[in-house]
Amino acid sequence: NMFDAAIHHYKRILEIRPDEEDYSNLGYIYYQLGRYQDAIKSAKEHAKKYPRSAKAYDNVAVCYDYLGEYEEALQYNERAAK
């Protein structure tokens, strides 16, 4: 399906030419598919590569919030606000 193709596409791009926006887009696709653990993993990789990216930390927080893991969400929200 289209989402699987997009995931494959973004993973391949990130292998060749890592880019902040592509990390974010991959996480967003996982989020839209309800694959929250994959979205968290992608956003954490994003944050590791771009530690000054508030967007990366916010994306992790949104997923944790959706999963009801509010303490984790709060920690990442605080990191995003720095």
Side-chain angles (χ1 to χ4, degrees), residues 6-12 14 18-32 35-51 53 55-61 63-64 76:
I7 289 168
H8 175 74
H9 170 77
Y10 279 114
K11 283 183 172 183
R12 184 72 178 123
L14 290 169
D19 178 81
E20 184 172 2
E21 193 65 26
D22 292 329
Y23 276 107
S24 184
N25 290 340
L26 178 60
Y28 181 75
I29 292 168
Y30 284 135
Y31 179 83
Q32 289 298 311
R35 293 173 55 179
Y36 303 112
Q37 293 300 330
D38 289 327
I40 289 168
K41 181 181 175 188
S42 180
K44 284 182 175 181
E45 286 180 34
H46 178 179
K48 185 177 178 181
K49 297 274 187 187
Y50 300 92
S53 173
K55 187 176 190 176
Y57 295 111
D58 186 56
N59 289 345
V60 176
C63 291
Y64 277 130
Y76 279 92

mmCIF file of all heavy atoms in Angstrom, residues 6-12 14 18-32 35-51 53 55-61 63-64 76:
data_model
loop_
_atom_site.group_PDB
_atom_site.id
_atom_site.type_symbol
_atom_site.label_atom_id
_atom_site.label_comp_id
_atom_site.label_asym_id
_atom_site.label_seq_id
_atom_site.Cartn_x
_atom_site.Cartn_y
_atom_site.Cartn_z
ATOM 1 N N ALA A 6 5.786 4.527 1.285
ATOM 2 C CA ALA A 6 6.349 5.763 1.838
ATOM 3 C C ALA A 6 7.357 5.457 2.942
ATOM 4 O O ALA A 6 8.426 6.080 3.003
ATOM 5 C CB ALA A 6 5.234 6.661 2.364
ATOM 6 N N ILE A 7 7.043 4.485 3.791
ATOM 7 C CA ILE A 7 7.978 4.091 4.851
ATOM 8 C C ILE A 7 9.277 3.600 4.235
ATOM 9 O O ILE A 7 10.370 4.013 4.651
ATOM 10 C CB ILE A 7 7.334 3.023 5.767
ATOM 11 C CG1 ILE A 7 6.235 3.661 6.628
ATOM 12 C CG2 ILE A 7 8.398 2.357 6.647
ATOM 13 C CD1 ILE A 7 5.362 2.659 7.350
ATOM 14 N N HIS A 8 9.159 2.737 3.256
ATOM 15 C CA HIS A 8 10.353 2.228 2.573
ATOM 16 C C HIS A 8 11.157 3.381 1.963
ATOM 17 O O HIS A 8 12.388 3.439 2.082
ATOM 18 C CB HIS A 8 9.946 1.220 1.496
ATOM 19 C CG HIS A 8 11.091 0.733 0.676
ATOM 20 N ND1 HIS A 8 12.014 -0.173 1.166
ATOM 21 C CD2 HIS A 8 11.487 1.050 -0.581
ATOM 22 C CE1 HIS A 8 12.923 -0.384 0.235
ATOM 23 N NE2 HIS A 8 12.627 0.333 -0.835
ATOM 24 N N HIS A 9 10.464 4.292 1.323
ATOM 25 C CA HIS A 9 11.094 5.452 0.680
ATOM 26 C C HIS A 9 11.868 6.288 1.702
ATOM 27 O O HIS A 9 13.040 6.606 1.488
ATOM 28 C CB HIS A 9 10.009 6.290 -0.002
ATOM 29 C CG HIS A 9 10.444 7.612 -0.488
ATOM 30 N ND1 HIS A 9 11.168 7.782 -1.642
ATOM 31 C CD2 HIS A 9 10.251 8.852 0.032
ATOM 32 C CE1 HIS A 9 11.410 9.075 -1.813
ATOM 33 N NE2 HIS A 9 10.864 9.735 -0.809
ATOM 34 N N TYR A 10 11.220 6.632 2.809
ATOM 35 C CA TYR A 10 11.880 7.476 3.806
ATOM 36 C C TYR A 10 13.047 6.760 4.477
ATOM 37 O O TYR A 10 14.089 7.372 4.732
ATOM 38 C CB TYR A 10 10.891 7.991 4.851
ATOM 39 C CG TYR A 10 10.116 9.177 4.350
ATOM 40 C CD1 TYR A 10 8.752 9.100 4.142
ATOM 41 C CD2 TYR A 10 10.754 10.379 4.075
ATOM 42 C CE1 TYR A 10 8.042 10.188 3.659
ATOM 43 C CE2 TYR A 10 10.064 11.473 3.601
ATOM 44 C CZ TYR A 10 8.709 11.370 3.395
ATOM 45 O OH TYR A 10 8.020 12.452 2.919
ATOM 46 N N LYS A 11 12.901 5.469 4.747
ATOM 47 C CA LYS A 11 14.013 4.730 5.340
ATOM 48 C C LYS A 11 15.220 4.727 4.400
ATOM 49 O O LYS A 11 16.359 4.901 4.841
ATOM 50 C CB LYS A 11 13.595 3.289 5.652
ATOM 51 C CG LYS A 11 12.754 3.162 6.894
ATOM 52 C CD LYS A 11 12.458 1.702 7.143
ATOM 53 C CE LYS A 11 11.788 1.478 8.462
ATOM 54 N NZ LYS A 11 11.568 0.036 8.711
ATOM 55 N N ARG A 12 14.950 4.545 3.139
ATOM 56 C CA ARG A 12 16.034 4.541 2.143
ATOM 57 C C ARG A 12 16.704 5.913 2.054
ATOM 58 O O ARG A 12 17.932 6.013 2.014
ATOM 59 C CB ARG A 12 15.479 4.124 0.776
ATOM 60 C CG ARG A 12 16.510 3.994 -0.285
ATOM 61 C CD ARG A 12 17.376 2.752 -0.065
ATOM 62 N NE ARG A 12 18.329 2.670 -1.165
ATOM 63 C CZ ARG A 12 19.632 2.631 -1.006
ATOM 64 N NH1 ARG A 12 20.154 2.600 0.195
ATOM 65 N NH2 ARG A 12 20.434 2.573 -2.043
ATOM 66 N N LEU A 14 16.858 8.136 4.380
ATOM 67 C CA LEU A 14 17.616 8.382 5.604
ATOM 68 C C LEU A 14 18.936 7.607 5.630
ATOM 69 O O LEU A 14 19.886 8.036 6.276
ATOM 70 C CB LEU A 14 16.765 8.061 6.833
ATOM 71 C CG LEU A 14 15.621 9.055 7.067
ATOM 72 C CD1 LEU A 14 14.660 8.532 8.125
ATOM 73 C CD2 LEU A 14 16.152 10.428 7.439
ATOM 74 N N PRO A 18 20.595 11.546 5.419
ATOM 75 C CA PRO A 18 19.750 11.887 6.566
ATOM 76 C C PRO A 18 19.374 13.366 6.561
ATOM 77 O O PRO A 18 20.209 14.227 6.278
ATOM 78 C CB PRO A 18 20.634 11.562 7.772
ATOM 79 C CG PRO A 18 21.657 10.621 7.259
ATOM 80 C CD PRO A 18 21.864 10.976 5.816
ATOM 81 N N ASP A 19 18.123 13.618 6.842
ATOM 82 C CA ASP A 19 17.590 14.977 6.830
ATOM 83 C C ASP A 19 16.545 15.094 7.936
ATOM 84 O O ASP A 19 15.749 14.177 8.137
ATOM 85 C CB ASP A 19 16.961 15.257 5.463
ATOM 86 C CG ASP A 19 16.337 16.621 5.383
ATOM 87 O OD1 ASP A 19 17.062 17.593 5.162
ATOM 88 O OD2 ASP A 19 15.105 16.706 5.562
ATOM 89 N N GLU A 20 16.550 16.201 8.625
ATOM 90 C CA GLU A 20 15.629 16.394 9.756
ATOM 91 C C GLU A 20 14.170 16.237 9.349
ATOM 92 O O GLU A 20 13.382 15.574 10.029
ATOM 93 C CB GLU A 20 15.862 17.764 10.380
ATOM 94 C CG GLU A 20 15.032 17.982 11.601
ATOM 95 C CD GLU A 20 15.381 19.256 12.351
ATOM 96 O OE1 GLU A 20 16.267 20.007 11.902
ATOM 97 O OE2 GLU A 20 14.739 19.480 13.374
ATOM 98 N N GLU A 21 13.797 16.807 8.244
ATOM 99 C CA GLU A 21 12.398 16.746 7.800
ATOM 100 C C GLU A 21 11.980 15.318 7.446
ATOM 101 O O GLU A 21 10.851 14.905 7.702
ATOM 102 C CB GLU A 21 12.182 17.675 6.602
ATOM 103 C CG GLU A 21 10.728 17.910 6.285
ATOM 104 C CD GLU A 21 9.965 18.651 7.372
ATOM 105 O OE1 GLU A 21 10.577 19.415 8.143
ATOM 106 O OE2 GLU A 21 8.738 18.452 7.468
ATOM 107 N N ASP A 22 12.895 14.550 6.887
ATOM 108 C CA ASP A 22 12.572 13.164 6.541
ATOM 109 C C ASP A 22 12.366 12.309 7.781
ATOM 110 O O ASP A 22 11.493 11.441 7.811
ATOM 111 C CB ASP A 22 13.658 12.568 5.644
ATOM 112 C CG ASP A 22 13.686 13.223 4.270
ATOM 113 O OD1 ASP A 22 12.610 13.653 3.796
ATOM 114 O OD2 ASP A 22 14.770 13.317 3.678
ATOM 115 N N TYR A 23 13.151 12.544 8.840
ATOM 116 C CA TYR A 23 12.899 11.841 10.107
ATOM 117 C C TYR A 23 11.498 12.164 10.615
ATOM 118 O O TYR A 23 10.755 11.286 11.045
ATOM 119 C CB TYR A 23 13.920 12.246 11.177
ATOM 120 C CG TYR A 23 15.215 11.492 11.116
ATOM 121 C CD1 TYR A 23 16.375 12.116 10.661
ATOM 122 C CD2 TYR A 23 15.299 10.165 11.506
ATOM 123 C CE1 TYR A 23 17.577 11.440 10.603
ATOM 124 C CE2 TYR A 23 16.499 9.478 11.453
ATOM 125 C CZ TYR A 23 17.625 10.123 11.004
ATOM 126 O OH TYR A 23 18.813 9.435 10.949
ATOM 127 N N SER A 24 11.154 13.425 10.561
ATOM 128 C CA SER A 24 9.841 13.856 11.026
ATOM 129 C C SER A 24 8.720 13.226 10.197
ATOM 130 O O SER A 24 7.716 12.749 10.740
ATOM 131 C CB SER A 24 9.747 15.385 10.964
ATOM 132 O OG SER A 24 8.520 15.822 11.490
ATOM 133 N N ASN A 25 8.892 13.206 8.893
ATOM 134 C CA ASN A 25 7.870 12.626 8.016
ATOM 135 C C ASN A 25 7.688 11.128 8.251
ATOM 136 O O ASN A 25 6.558 10.633 8.273
ATOM 137 C CB ASN A 25 8.215 12.879 6.553
ATOM 138 C CG ASN A 25 8.072 14.321 6.166
ATOM 139 O OD1 ASN A 25 7.385 15.097 6.822
ATOM 140 N ND2 ASN A 25 8.742 14.713 5.100
ATOM 141 N N LEU A 26 8.791 10.419 8.460
ATOM 142 C CA LEU A 26 8.693 8.986 8.732
ATOM 143 C C LEU A 26 7.925 8.745 10.034
ATOM 144 O O LEU A 26 7.023 7.902 10.084
ATOM 145 C CB LEU A 26 10.087 8.362 8.812
ATOM 146 C CG LEU A 26 10.129 6.875 9.150
ATOM 147 C CD1 LEU A 26 9.378 6.046 8.113
ATOM 148 C CD2 LEU A 26 11.575 6.408 9.269
ATOM 149 N N GLY A 27 8.251 9.487 11.056
ATOM 150 C CA GLY A 27 7.533 9.354 12.322
ATOM 151 C C GLY A 27 6.057 9.675 12.177
ATOM 152 O O GLY A 27 5.197 9.011 12.779
ATOM 153 N N TYR A 28 5.748 10.675 11.372
ATOM 154 C CA TYR A 28 4.351 11.056 11.154
ATOM 155 C C TYR A 28 3.564 9.930 10.472
ATOM 156 O O TYR A 28 2.425 9.660 10.835
ATOM 157 C CB TYR A 28 4.277 12.330 10.330
ATOM 158 C CG TYR A 28 2.873 12.799 10.080
ATOM 159 C CD1 TYR A 28 2.141 13.404 11.085
ATOM 160 C CD2 TYR A 28 2.272 12.633 8.838
ATOM 161 C CE1 TYR A 28 0.834 13.826 10.872
ATOM 162 C CE2 TYR A 28 0.974 13.044 8.609
ATOM 163 C CZ TYR A 28 0.265 13.646 9.637
ATOM 164 O OH TYR A 28 -1.020 14.050 9.410
ATOM 165 N N ILE A 29 4.179 9.280 9.520
ATOM 166 C CA ILE A 29 3.512 8.159 8.849
ATOM 167 C C ILE A 29 3.225 7.047 9.853
ATOM 168 O O ILE A 29 2.119 6.512 9.903
ATOM 169 C CB ILE A 29 4.351 7.635 7.670
ATOM 170 C CG1 ILE A 29 4.401 8.674 6.553
ATOM 171 C CG2 ILE A 29 3.767 6.319 7.139
ATOM 172 C CD1 ILE A 29 5.425 8.375 5.486
ATOM 173 N N TYR A 30 4.237 6.704 10.664
ATOM 174 C CA TYR A 30 4.009 5.685 11.695
ATOM 175 C C TYR A 30 2.867 6.094 12.625
ATOM 176 O O TYR A 30 2.016 5.283 12.977
ATOM 177 C CB TYR A 30 5.276 5.461 12.515
ATOM 178 C CG TYR A 30 6.348 4.651 11.840
ATOM 179 C CD1 TYR A 30 7.680 5.055 11.880
ATOM 180 C CD2 TYR A 30 6.059 3.458 11.191
ATOM 181 C CE1 TYR A 30 8.688 4.303 11.291
ATOM 182 C CE2 TYR A 30 7.057 2.696 10.590
ATOM 183 C CZ TYR A 30 8.361 3.129 10.645
ATOM 184 O OH TYR A 30 9.352 2.382 10.061
ATOM 185 N N TYR A 31 2.877 7.368 13.034
ATOM 186 C CA TYR A 31 1.825 7.874 13.919
ATOM 187 C C TYR A 31 0.452 7.725 13.267
ATOM 188 O O TYR A 31 -0.499 7.258 13.901
ATOM 189 C CB TYR A 31 2.111 9.339 14.271
ATOM 190 C CG TYR A 31 1.054 9.945 15.152
ATOM 191 C CD1 TYR A 31 1.092 9.741 16.525
ATOM 192 C CD2 TYR A 31 0.023 10.714 14.616
ATOM 193 C CE1 TYR A 31 0.118 10.301 17.351
ATOM 194 C CE2 TYR A 31 -0.940 11.262 15.425
ATOM 195 C CZ TYR A 31 -0.895 11.050 16.784
ATOM 196 O OH TYR A 31 -1.867 11.591 17.594
ATOM 197 N N GLN A 32 0.335 8.105 12.013
ATOM 198 C CA GLN A 32 -0.945 8.019 11.309
ATOM 199 C C GLN A 32 -1.427 6.572 11.183
ATOM 200 O O GLN A 32 -2.630 6.321 11.151
ATOM 201 C CB GLN A 32 -0.836 8.648 9.918
ATOM 202 C CG GLN A 32 -0.717 10.147 9.940
ATOM 203 C CD GLN A 32 -1.939 10.799 10.547
ATOM 204 O OE1 GLN A 32 -3.066 10.500 10.188
ATOM 205 N NE2 GLN A 32 -1.712 11.682 11.505
ATOM 206 N N ARG A 35 1.121 3.142 14.635
ATOM 207 C CA ARG A 35 2.340 2.410 15.021
ATOM 208 C C ARG A 35 3.177 3.327 15.918
ATOM 209 O O ARG A 35 4.238 3.808 15.559
ATOM 210 C CB ARG A 35 3.100 1.975 13.775
ATOM 211 C CG ARG A 35 2.330 0.936 12.966
ATOM 212 C CD ARG A 35 2.963 0.602 11.650
ATOM 213 N NE ARG A 35 4.357 0.156 11.764
ATOM 214 C CZ ARG A 35 5.097 -0.199 10.722
ATOM 215 N NH1 ARG A 35 4.584 -0.174 9.496
ATOM 216 N NH2 ARG A 35 6.350 -0.581 10.897
ATOM 217 N N TYR A 36 2.646 3.559 17.122
ATOM 218 C CA TYR A 36 3.210 4.572 18.011
ATOM 219 C C TYR A 36 4.615 4.234 18.497
ATOM 220 O O TYR A 36 5.447 5.135 18.630
ATOM 221 C CB TYR A 36 2.271 4.819 19.184
ATOM 222 C CG TYR A 36 0.906 5.232 18.701
ATOM 223 C CD1 TYR A 36 -0.187 4.404 18.857
ATOM 224 C CD2 TYR A 36 0.727 6.440 18.026
ATOM 225 C CE1 TYR A 36 -1.435 4.762 18.368
ATOM 226 C CE2 TYR A 36 -0.503 6.812 17.529
ATOM 227 C CZ TYR A 36 -1.583 5.971 17.702
ATOM 228 O OH TYR A 36 -2.802 6.323 17.210
ATOM 229 N N GLN A 37 4.889 2.959 18.748
ATOM 230 C CA GLN A 37 6.247 2.600 19.182
ATOM 231 C C GLN A 37 7.253 2.873 18.061
ATOM 232 O O GLN A 37 8.361 3.348 18.331
ATOM 233 C CB GLN A 37 6.305 1.138 19.633
ATOM 234 C CG GLN A 37 5.506 0.866 20.891
ATOM 235 C CD GLN A 37 5.973 1.681 22.097
ATOM 236 O OE1 GLN A 37 7.142 2.036 22.220
ATOM 237 N NE2 GLN A 37 5.051 1.983 22.991
ATOM 238 N N ASP A 38 6.870 2.600 16.831
ATOM 239 C CA ASP A 38 7.747 2.926 15.693
ATOM 240 C C ASP A 38 7.905 4.434 15.548
ATOM 241 O O ASP A 38 8.996 4.924 15.229
ATOM 242 C CB ASP A 38 7.197 2.333 14.394
ATOM 243 C CG ASP A 38 7.327 0.822 14.331
ATOM 244 O OD1 ASP A 38 8.298 0.267 14.887
ATOM 245 O OD2 ASP A 38 6.441 0.189 13.723
ATOM 246 N N ALA A 39 6.821 5.168 15.774
ATOM 247 C CA ALA A 39 6.885 6.632 15.701
ATOM 248 C C ALA A 39 7.812 7.181 16.781
ATOM 249 O O ALA A 39 8.602 8.097 16.518
ATOM 250 C CB ALA A 39 5.484 7.229 15.839
ATOM 251 N N ILE A 40 7.724 6.609 17.981
ATOM 252 C CA ILE A 40 8.607 7.035 19.072
ATOM 253 C C ILE A 40 10.064 6.744 18.716
ATOM 254 O O ILE A 40 10.937 7.599 18.880
ATOM 255 C CB ILE A 40 8.205 6.348 20.394
ATOM 256 C CG1 ILE A 40 6.877 6.935 20.892
ATOM 257 C CG2 ILE A 40 9.304 6.504 21.441
ATOM 258 C CD1 ILE A 40 6.238 6.151 22.020
ATOM 259 N N LYS A 41 10.321 5.557 18.212
ATOM 260 C CA LYS A 41 11.688 5.187 17.834
ATOM 261 C C LYS A 41 12.226 6.150 16.776
ATOM 262 O O LYS A 41 13.358 6.621 16.868
ATOM 263 C CB LYS A 41 11.714 3.754 17.311
ATOM 264 C CG LYS A 41 13.084 3.287 16.919
ATOM 265 C CD LYS A 41 13.058 1.865 16.391
ATOM 266 C CE LYS A 41 14.430 1.469 15.887
ATOM 267 N NZ LYS A 41 14.419 0.186 15.201
ATOM 268 N N SER A 42 11.415 6.448 15.774
ATOM 269 C CA SER A 42 11.832 7.355 14.710
ATOM 270 C C SER A 42 12.107 8.759 15.259
ATOM 271 O O SER A 42 13.115 9.388 14.914
ATOM 272 C CB SER A 42 10.756 7.408 13.625
ATOM 273 O OG SER A 42 11.137 8.278 12.598
ATOM 274 N N ALA A 43 11.224 9.245 16.128
ATOM 275 C CA ALA A 43 11.396 10.585 16.694
ATOM 276 C C ALA A 43 12.616 10.650 17.604
ATOM 277 O O ALA A 43 13.319 11.665 17.648
ATOM 278 C CB ALA A 43 10.135 11.006 17.444
ATOM 279 N N LYS A 44 12.886 9.562 18.336
ATOM 280 C CA LYS A 44 14.084 9.544 19.180
ATOM 281 C C LYS A 44 15.350 9.544 18.332
ATOM 282 O O LYS A 44 16.339 10.187 18.690
ATOM 283 C CB LYS A 44 14.059 8.340 20.118
ATOM 284 C CG LYS A 44 13.098 8.531 21.282
ATOM 285 C CD LYS A 44 13.137 7.344 22.222
ATOM 286 C CE LYS A 44 12.284 7.569 23.449
ATOM 287 N NZ LYS A 44 12.340 6.420 24.378
ATOM 288 N N GLU A 45 15.334 8.832 17.213
ATOM 289 C CA GLU A 45 16.473 8.875 16.290
ATOM 290 C C GLU A 45 16.644 10.295 15.755
ATOM 291 O O GLU A 45 17.763 10.795 15.632
ATOM 292 C CB GLU A 45 16.272 7.903 15.138
ATOM 293 C CG GLU A 45 16.465 6.456 15.512
ATOM 294 C CD GLU A 45 16.250 5.518 14.334
ATOM 295 O OE1 GLU A 45 16.576 5.900 13.191
ATOM 296 O OE2 GLU A 45 15.734 4.413 14.564
ATOM 297 N N HIS A 46 15.526 10.922 15.426
ATOM 298 C CA HIS A 46 15.519 12.306 14.957
ATOM 299 C C HIS A 46 16.183 13.202 16.006
ATOM 300 O O HIS A 46 17.068 14.001 15.689
ATOM 301 C CB HIS A 46 14.067 12.708 14.704
ATOM 302 C CG HIS A 46 13.846 14.104 14.262
ATOM 303 N ND1 HIS A 46 12.588 14.567 13.995
ATOM 304 C CD2 HIS A 46 14.668 15.154 14.042
ATOM 305 C CE1 HIS A 46 12.649 15.832 13.632
ATOM 306 N NE2 HIS A 46 13.899 16.203 13.651
ATOM 307 N N ALA A 47 15.780 13.039 17.269
ATOM 308 C CA ALA A 47 16.333 13.862 18.351
ATOM 309 C C ALA A 47 17.817 13.585 18.567
ATOM 310 O O ALA A 47 18.583 14.503 18.885
ATOM 311 C CB ALA A 47 15.550 13.614 19.635
ATOM 312 N N LYS A 48 18.219 12.338 18.391
ATOM 313 C CA LYS A 48 19.630 11.995 18.559
ATOM 314 C C LYS A 48 20.483 12.679 17.493
ATOM 315 O O LYS A 48 21.564 13.199 17.776
ATOM 316 C CB LYS A 48 19.806 10.478 18.484
ATOM 317 C CG LYS A 48 21.205 10.003 18.755
ATOM 318 C CD LYS A 48 21.277 8.485 18.735
ATOM 319 C CE LYS A 48 22.699 8.011 18.962
ATOM 320 N NZ LYS A 48 22.793 6.549 18.913
ATOM 321 N N LYS A 49 19.993 12.681 16.258
ATOM 322 C CA LYS A 49 20.735 13.310 15.152
ATOM 323 C C LYS A 49 20.652 14.831 15.204
ATOM 324 O O LYS A 49 21.588 15.521 14.780
ATOM 325 C CB LYS A 49 20.186 12.837 13.803
ATOM 326 C CG LYS A 49 20.346 11.363 13.557
ATOM 327 C CD LYS A 49 21.699 11.066 12.967
ATOM 328 C CE LYS A 49 21.738 9.593 12.571
ATOM 329 N NZ LYS A 49 23.041 9.186 12.155
ATOM 330 N N TYR A 50 19.526 15.348 15.691
ATOM 331 C CA TYR A 50 19.285 16.796 15.732
ATOM 332 C C TYR A 50 18.825 17.175 17.136
ATOM 333 O O TYR A 50 17.650 17.462 17.368
ATOM 334 C CB TYR A 50 18.226 17.199 14.693
ATOM 335 C CG TYR A 50 18.629 16.848 13.290
ATOM 336 C CD1 TYR A 50 18.260 15.638 12.718
ATOM 337 C CD2 TYR A 50 19.422 17.713 12.547
ATOM 338 C CE1 TYR A 50 18.656 15.297 11.431
ATOM 339 C CE2 TYR A 50 19.821 17.379 11.258
ATOM 340 C CZ TYR A 50 19.432 16.172 10.715
ATOM 341 O OH TYR A 50 19.833 15.840 9.445
ATOM 342 N N PRO A 51 19.754 17.176 18.108
ATOM 343 C CA PRO A 51 19.374 17.379 19.514
ATOM 344 C C PRO A 51 18.767 18.751 19.830
ATOM 345 O O PRO A 51 18.156 18.917 20.877
ATOM 346 C CB PRO A 51 20.682 17.161 20.271
ATOM 347 C CG PRO A 51 21.767 17.305 19.269
ATOM 348 C CD PRO A 51 21.175 16.943 17.943
ATOM 349 N N SER A 53 16.404 20.047 17.992
ATOM 350 C CA SER A 53 15.111 20.070 17.316
ATOM 351 C C SER A 53 13.961 19.900 18.307
ATOM 352 O O SER A 53 13.706 18.802 18.801
ATOM 353 C CB SER A 53 15.043 18.965 16.262
ATOM 354 O OG SER A 53 13.735 18.898 15.720
ATOM 355 N N LYS A 55 10.927 20.004 17.533
ATOM 356 C CA LYS A 55 9.932 19.187 16.833
ATOM 357 C C LYS A 55 10.115 17.700 17.134
ATOM 358 O O LYS A 55 9.146 16.974 17.338
ATOM 359 C CB LYS A 55 10.028 19.439 15.326
ATOM 360 C CG LYS A 55 8.966 18.789 14.503
ATOM 361 C CD LYS A 55 9.128 19.219 13.046
ATOM 362 C CE LYS A 55 7.953 18.791 12.215
ATOM 363 N NZ LYS A 55 8.064 19.275 10.845
ATOM 364 N N ALA A 56 11.358 17.236 17.177
ATOM 365 C CA ALA A 56 11.631 15.823 17.452
ATOM 366 C C ALA A 56 11.127 15.444 18.840
ATOM 367 O O ALA A 56 10.434 14.433 19.006
ATOM 368 C CB ALA A 56 13.125 15.540 17.337
ATOM 369 N N TYR A 57 11.442 16.256 19.840
ATOM 370 C CA TYR A 57 11.007 15.966 21.207
ATOM 371 C C TYR A 57 9.495 16.069 21.341
ATOM 372 O O TYR A 57 8.869 15.273 22.044
ATOM 373 C CB TYR A 57 11.703 16.895 22.199
ATOM 374 C CG TYR A 57 13.196 16.679 22.247
ATOM 375 C CD1 TYR A 57 14.074 17.630 21.757
ATOM 376 C CD2 TYR A 57 13.732 15.502 22.770
ATOM 377 C CE1 TYR A 57 15.446 17.434 21.790
ATOM 378 C CE2 TYR A 57 15.101 15.288 22.804
ATOM 379 C CZ TYR A 57 15.956 16.261 22.309
ATOM 380 O OH TYR A 57 17.306 16.052 22.338
ATOM 381 N N ASP A 58 8.916 17.036 20.657
ATOM 382 C CA ASP A 58 7.463 17.180 20.692
ATOM 383 C C ASP A 58 6.779 15.961 20.065
ATOM 384 O O ASP A 58 5.755 15.491 20.575
ATOM 385 C CB ASP A 58 7.042 18.461 19.970
ATOM 386 C CG ASP A 58 5.561 18.726 20.110
ATOM 387 O OD1 ASP A 58 5.081 18.803 21.263
ATOM 388 O OD2 ASP A 58 4.887 18.847 19.078
ATOM 389 N N ASN A 59 7.348 15.438 18.993
ATOM 390 C CA ASN A 59 6.768 14.257 18.351
ATOM 391 C C ASN A 59 6.789 13.048 19.284
ATOM 392 O O ASN A 59 5.831 12.276 19.329
ATOM 393 C CB ASN A 59 7.501 13.942 17.046
ATOM 394 C CG ASN A 59 7.213 14.947 15.958
ATOM 395 O OD1 ASN A 59 6.281 15.728 16.050
ATOM 396 N ND2 ASN A 59 8.031 14.939 14.930
ATOM 397 N N VAL A 60 7.871 12.882 20.036
ATOM 398 C CA VAL A 60 7.930 11.793 21.014
ATOM 399 C C VAL A 60 6.844 12.008 22.067
ATOM 400 O O VAL A 60 6.113 11.079 22.429
ATOM 401 C CB VAL A 60 9.320 11.704 21.691
ATOM 402 C CG1 VAL A 60 9.317 10.621 22.768
ATOM 403 C CG2 VAL A 60 10.413 11.434 20.683
ATOM 404 N N ALA A 61 6.723 13.240 22.555
ATOM 405 C CA ALA A 61 5.745 13.550 23.592
ATOM 406 C C ALA A 61 4.317 13.250 23.139
ATOM 407 O O ALA A 61 3.521 12.691 23.902
ATOM 408 C CB ALA A 61 5.863 15.022 23.998
ATOM 409 N N CYS A 63 3.269 11.058 20.998
ATOM 410 C CA CYS A 63 3.046 9.604 20.981
ATOM 411 C C CYS A 63 2.869 9.053 22.382
ATOM 412 O O CYS A 63 1.956 8.255 22.633
ATOM 413 C CB CYS A 63 4.192 8.892 20.281
ATOM 414 S SG CYS A 63 4.257 9.214 18.509
ATOM 415 N N TYR A 64 3.734 9.469 23.299
ATOM 416 C CA TYR A 64 3.601 8.996 24.678
ATOM 417 C C TYR A 64 2.264 9.448 25.272
ATOM 418 O O TYR A 64 1.606 8.692 25.988
ATOM 419 C CB TYR A 64 4.753 9.481 25.546
ATOM 420 C CG TYR A 64 5.997 8.628 25.448
ATOM 421 C CD1 TYR A 64 7.241 9.202 25.220
ATOM 422 C CD2 TYR A 64 5.942 7.247 25.613
ATOM 423 C CE1 TYR A 64 8.391 8.431 25.143
ATOM 424 C CE2 TYR A 64 7.082 6.469 25.523
ATOM 425 C CZ TYR A 64 8.300 7.064 25.299
ATOM 426 O OH TYR A 64 9.427 6.282 25.219
ATOM 427 N N TYR A 76 9.354 14.794 27.677
ATOM 428 C CA TYR A 76 9.723 15.193 26.317
ATOM 429 C C TYR A 76 9.155 16.563 25.959
ATOM 430 O O TYR A 76 9.790 17.315 25.210
ATOM 431 C CB TYR A 76 9.330 14.116 25.305
ATOM 432 C CG TYR A 76 10.344 13.003 25.280
ATOM 433 C CD1 TYR A 76 10.207 11.881 26.088
ATOM 434 C CD2 TYR A 76 11.483 13.100 24.479
ATOM 435 C CE1 TYR A 76 11.161 10.872 26.092
ATOM 436 C CE2 TYR A 76 12.443 12.104 24.480
ATOM 437 C CZ TYR A 76 12.282 11.002 25.289
ATOM 438 O OH TYR A 76 13.240 10.014 25.299
#
